Amino acid sequence: MKKIINKPEEFVVEMLEGLYKAHPDLVTYTADDLHCLVRSDSPVQNKVALATGGGSGHLPVFLGYVGKGMLDGCAIGDVFQSPSADQMLEVTKRIHGGKGVLYIYGNYGGDVMNFDMATEMAEMEDIEVRTVLVKDDVASATADRADTRRGVAGMVFAFKIAGAKAELGASLDEVEAAVTKALNNTRTMGVALGACILPAVGKPGFHVADGEMELGMGIHGEPGIKTGPLATADEITSEIVETIMADMPLAKADKVAVMVNGLGATPLEELYIMYRKVDELLAQKGVSIHRQYIGEYATSLEMPGASISIMKLDDELEALIDQPANTPFFTQV
Amino acid sequence: MKKIINKPEEFVVEMLEGLYKAHPDLVTYTADDLHCLVRSDSPVQNKVALATGGGSGHLPVFLGYVGKGMLDGCAIGDVFQSPSADQMLEVTKRIHGGKGVLYIYGNYGGDVMNFDMATEMAEMEDIEVRTVLVKDDVASATADRADTRRGVAGMVFAFKIAGAKAELGASLDEVEAAVTKALNNTRTMGVALGACILPAVGKPGFHVADGEMELGMGIHGEPGIKTGPLATADEITSEIVETIMADMPLAKADKVAVMVNGLGATPLEELYIMYRKVDELLAQKGVSIHRQYIGEYATSLEMPGASISIMKLDDELEALIDQPANTPFFTQV
Amino acid sequence: MIRGTDISKVLMTAADSLIAMRDQLNELDAAMGDGDCGLTAEKGANGIKTYLAQNPADNNLGKWLAKAGMAYNKAAPSTMGALMATALMRAGKEVMGKAELEDIEIGKMLKAASIGIQERGKAKVGDKTIVDALDPAADAMLAALENGDSLETAAKAALLAAQKGRDSVIEIRSMIGRANWVGDKTKGKVDPGTVLFVGMLEHILNQPSSQPGSTLA
Amino acid sequence: MIRGTDISKVLMTAADSLIAMRDQLNELDAAMGDGDCGLTAEKGANGIKTYLAQNPADNNLGKWLAKAGMAYNKAAPSTMGALMATALMRAGKEVMGKAELEDIEIGKMLKAASIGIQERGKAKVGDKTIVDALDPAADAMLAALENGDSLETAAKAALLAAQKGRDSVIEIRSMIGRANWVGDKTKGKVDPGTVLFVGMLEHILNQPSSQPGSTLA
Ligand SMILES: Nc1ncnc2c1ncn2[C@@H]1O[C@H](COP(=O)(O)OP(=O)(O)O)[C@@H](O)[C@H]1O
Ligand SMILES: Nc1ncnc2c1ncn2[C@@H]1O[C@H](COP(=O)(O)OP(=O)(O)O)[C@@H](O)[C@H]1O
Ligand SMILES: [Mg+2]
Ligand SMILES: [Mg+2]
Ligand SMILES: [Mg+2]
Ligand SMILES: [Mg+2]
């Protein structure tokens, strides 16, 4: 196991201790529980509060996007495990600034059920809570079952859009509408070239044979749509972009935001090689890239692989994606 | 080979094509050679121009730090290979804004010789050139031979300090003095848990056995000071910090900047676990961390491992490290 | 009359059975999910055991059960943890304020738990989840108790229904949760949630463990 | 009198020998450096071959050689590329403006190349680099030519000196470059740069390849 850790069962807590020591000006925790992370200046009064949550092992997702212009709080689970409803409730109570709370998180059973429980409990405390589920992974279900798709890197677009909208003073309805539109316009697909190692397990929980790749594999190793010999960067990129565009047609003069996201072990150099091809493919269609994010935005520990997300922009989304943001892991000026 | 590439021999050129497509507002190239990267707005008149250069495979090092508040240009070599003197000269000519050019780069034979040749050629064109070599890796030579040490992640501190000083209008002498002081105050040491794969070779050029670690290994696989069974995060961090402090004593009330840098495959979570211990060790000594950088700042493709850099601050360095900067890979507000 | 100490004992036994099934559940989950079903079951079981040890059943069994559910969720918040918590909270709601229970109330609690799990997880019978074992078991138990059967007879009817339910979904495709993403490849595979529920019942009733598929023609 | 076509032929042969030694040099470099010495030698050799093919020697041998050096550096800019470029530029400087050369000038060129490499790389004799083969070779050649020996005799003296130089540093520790970081473990290992130079000379003179260490008592 090639890991720099102490006790596996302390992995998440020690990571969080390091995080709070590093960024005390930006984030803190509530309810005496390190897993309940909130903006240091929370509650921000008269702003719709935004919360997310999910398992650890995906940095900067989820907690890395808590900060000005993005989210207000995050409930943090064990590696690849949902946090508890209790923890979500504590975050919700602490960040509520009087204009309601919006939950934005990935469509995973455990997370959904816990957030639903938290919602019921928050409502008993007279906090209005809404939910927008991220379901951007086109590889996880066919279009007719799109509602069961997983949430992956596209959630960062959702955080960005919601954060900007809330920061501008919008109501809960308006923020919910903007992020819903953003997600309707967002598709992601990934490729894994290998597995990752859960600290508590010490060995990979799934396998991608050497020289093979798994197109569409999920960020916890959920099976993809195609296993086969490792293709070239151009072939992989083309297949991903085509799959996305078959699900969400793009037309001449459309504007998009693009994210080429590394899953953990894939060098930045390779992400730029992929981006080069994305740019070429979209240019061929007359689609222009208004803004691009290339780097590690949503990872799976040390998984080798990458994902590509495309968000179609209208005027509102374009203005929102351009707003500044400042979190421990995401700074846009 | 778990790599998302096309032809290995196109690796660097395609990476650069992606880069120029992604960041046209920030960077461009000169002399019709993609390997000669400069700020889009270069030459910046009446500012000391800062150049670096070195082999590819270390993103964001080197080229990622070209931008406002950091560097003006970078000559880019093949993977782990120096760029040519010619390319360095072209960058130098393009960025020179009338106040001289400072070369800041790592102490590797090929780079030094090529930069020296470039210096001779630049002087023939009446451009004043100075050089500051980065030699921050304490593990690469004992104190009595400190002059032969390698340059590793500490160079990012040098770029930051030099960039801020130049941006504030300092002279070539003043910038050279500031960055020289910064480097005298900077030490780095790393640990590798495995190798990386050169695209052209397709397999690791060196080995770290599974379950082993190599303390002090260089970013191209240069041997370290100790091979042994993989220790815990706390043990590794303690050994690195102690080695650094033996070479550069820190006293109560000293202020430092700290960088915990991932070499490629090590998850961000693990870097925070290390940072937690750095903070604890320095706090025990009464040393305070003024600013910290945790993430991937200087990598070796997909090498698993990390390095810790410490820069001792005085008032000038503290003010300079806090200045804003904005490059494709480094944004500080 | 059933007392809190009886229920506590049953819950202890149930928790022990989850811990005993850890590896089996992990293995089944690895084939069609993320391989952690046994791990989270064990965590939850330990959570509830700690709760039971520290909190003897009090005079309000409903509240005590709801709190047991929250303890399970805190210890193992993932899918099964949320479902178990909901089940215990809904079962508790059925008997809120009571210190002693009639047999029939056990049947009602089981059915309430099943409905709670279906509402929480949005899985219907036939989606290939724990619901496919739990819901027929609850119905069988309630019917038997309404029929005047003893608690033990009713429980055995419940077990038989649970085993049949588990086996009835082996050949179909999972429609929900992680297994849904595995898609058609789940056909012919046993759902870990159904095994968990059947195994728990078998252990509580001191019955031999049955093989998944054993009730099929 | 030596003409440009003669020099071009020698350089071609030298380049071919670098290509032939690729794997051997990589292997030696892997033991005490980064294992790319053969790769960069091959790249540089191909660069210079292309240059020679496209640029027949002209009447200014000095400038033509300097440009050959730049071609080598562009094709393989790392350590050895910078050293080779410097060597060719310094050798060229010796004969700037000339179209034909005397024998003695070959000796002077080799010594100028050696001094150039030492200035560029800041390595002295004894630091365990190519200098340890090149510098004694240059001295031996120059002495023989000054003594009136034929070019061939002088070149053979140079080769012997180069072989001895290569072998004399096997047991010592590398003091410069990547090998310096390997430290004491370089003791007993052969420096790839010395092998490169000796092998090149052997190939040019059509001599059998010698084993590193073969001149040692
Ligand atoms: N939405 C749901 N409703 C009811 N049961 C479900 C649901 N999703 C999954 N399950 C049950 O949970 C089991 C998996 O549990 P576990 O491995 O703990 O969850 P996770 O999917 O979070 O890893 C499945 O075998 C199935 O029986
Ligand atoms: N500073 C120097 N001066 C002279 N020769 C050197 C110097 N550094 C290295 N060398 C020679 O270069 C050889 C290594 O060449 P090469 O592998 O191409 O360089 P790199 O170190 O850039 O990988 C060494 O064997 C040594 O003979
Ligand atoms: Mg799970
Ligand atoms: Mg599971
Ligand atoms: Mg090299
Ligand atoms: Mg080498």
Side-chain angles (χ1 to χ4, degrees), chain A residues 140-154:
Chain A
S140 56
T142 47
D144 55 310
R145 313 194 70 229
D147 223 49
T148 69
R149 285 178 178 164
R150 299 183 287 255
V152 286

Side-chain angles (χ1 to χ4, degrees), chain C residues 13 72 105 125 132 177 185 204:
Chain C
T13 311
Y72 192 106
E105 287 178 298
V125 168
D132 288 294
K185 283 180 229 159
I204 293 170

Side-chain angles (χ1 to χ4, degrees), chain B residues 124-144:
Chain B
M124 290 194 264
E125 311 218 10
D126 287 325
I127 301 175
E128 185 175 7
V129 174
R130 305 269 180 84
T131 292
V132 179
L133 284 180
V134 182
K135 307 172 182 178
D136 58 321
D137 188 347
V138 285
S140 55
T142 47
D144 55 311

Side-chain angles (χ1 to χ4, degrees), chain B residues 81 109-110 113, chain D residues 29 32 34 36-38 40-41 78-81 83 117 121-123 128-131 176-178 191-194:
Chain B
Q81 298 290 342
M113 295 177 207
Chain D
D29 194 33
M32 51 185 267
D34 57 356
D36 65 352
C37 187
T40 57
S78 280
T79 305
M80 198 49 78
L83 295 174
I117 281 185
K122 298 182 185 77
K128 194 167 181 171
T129 69
I130 189 172
V131 169
I176 210 159
R178 291 183 188 288
D191 176 67
T194 58

